[in-house]
Amino acid sequence: MRPSKLPLLMACHLLAAPIAIAQSGARGFVSGVSLGIARTSLRTPAIGSARSGLDFAFGWRVGYRASERVAVMLQGVGAGYRSLGPGRPRRRGFEALVPTVEVALRPDTWISTGVGMHLDAPVFFDLQRDRPDERRYHRGWGMVLGAGYVVDARRPSWSRTAVAVEGRWHVGVASTPEGSVRGHSTALLVGARQR
């Protein structure tokens, strides 16, 4: 997908939000965090194609449940990878910040999708302060697809927090000084979410 199609995808995505909000049912604030593992594949002008081994993955979400079935959220996703580009070998983050629509297929199962800003970012625990090139963020567009299952859906109604397992696919393109970096990440996460 070319970056010129991003405005069209975002417009379609944002047009779906008012439809979701118009539905009736349980409404309110929703949030969640998750941690897991991911495998990231990249294509860069400097090194061609490369696939990382298993690395960390994380995610967070915050938003509004418009009905029992639909929620509109802002979601942050990320996965680590080993950068083989210019400079020393180091860890970087394959990340995105995307508005997301989540649809519950059943009370314990959901799917979600979103299109937004992709980031090729430094990871805080592998920075060298004397190298300013390692602190640079590179932006582009990204898309996230996810599906999940609430493990303890039969908890008492007073308990609003649930444990969930989620699978996620994130694709993104970022502009770097070496050229366009394209890639995708597949992740398996476990987390807590407010119902």
Side-chain angles (χ1 to χ4, degrees):
M1 183 177 303
R2 297 188 338 214
S4 62
K5 294 183 180 178
L6 178 62
L8 177 62
L9 285 172
M10 288 185 75
C12 291
H13 186 71
L14 293 175
L15 287 174
I19 296 168
I21 292 171
Q23 294 182 1
S24 62
R27 298 174 182 227
F29 177 76
V30 293
S31 63
V33 294
S34 57
L35 293 172
I37 57 173
R39 182 179 301 267
T40 304
S41 298
L42 299 174
R43 178 177 286 286
T44 67
I47 60 170
S49 294
R51 174 177 283 168
S52 74
L54 290 179
D55 213 324
F56 71 91
F58 67 90
W60 59 265
R61 61 186 73 203
V62 61
Y64 180 77
R65 180 156 311 283
S67 72
E68 288 183 19
R69 295 198 57 202
V70 179
V72 180
M73 297 178 281
L74 181 63
Q75 180 174 339
V77 300
Y81 73 92
R82 296 207 175 271
S83 174
L84 301 174
R88 70 178 180 93
R90 63 189 183 276
R91 307 271 293 276
R92 293 207 38 102
F94 188 78
E95 304 174 5
L97 184 63
V98 295
T100 304
V101 174
E102 179 182 289
V103 177
L105 302 176
R106 295 188 338 213
D108 60 355
T109 308
W110 79 90
I111 58 173
S112 63
T113 183
V115 176
M117 181 174 62
H118 171 74
L119 296 169
D120 182 73
V123 293
F124 69 91
F125 56 85
D126 195 13
L127 284 177
Q128 290 185 350
R129 295 183 188 271
D130 58 339
R131 302 183 80 149
D133 60 318
E134 291 189 11
R135 295 191 304 260
R136 291 199 177 125
Y137 287 80
H138 307 292
R139 292 182 306 273
W141 68 270
M143 180 177 73
V144 177
L145 300 173
Y149 176 76
V150 177
V151 176
D152 57 354
R154 295 184 184 167
R155 292 183 61 129
S157 60
W158 52 266
S159 177
R160 296 190 43 89
T161 303
V163 175
V165 176
E166 178 180 1
R168 184 179 70 212
W169 183 64
H170 164 205
V171 61
V173 177
S175 298
T176 67
E178 296 81 34
S180 181
V181 175
R182 301 169 185 272
H184 66 90
S185 174
T186 307
L188 178 63
L189 303 107
V190 176
R193 52 189 286 129
Q194 183 185 18
R195 301 190 281 178

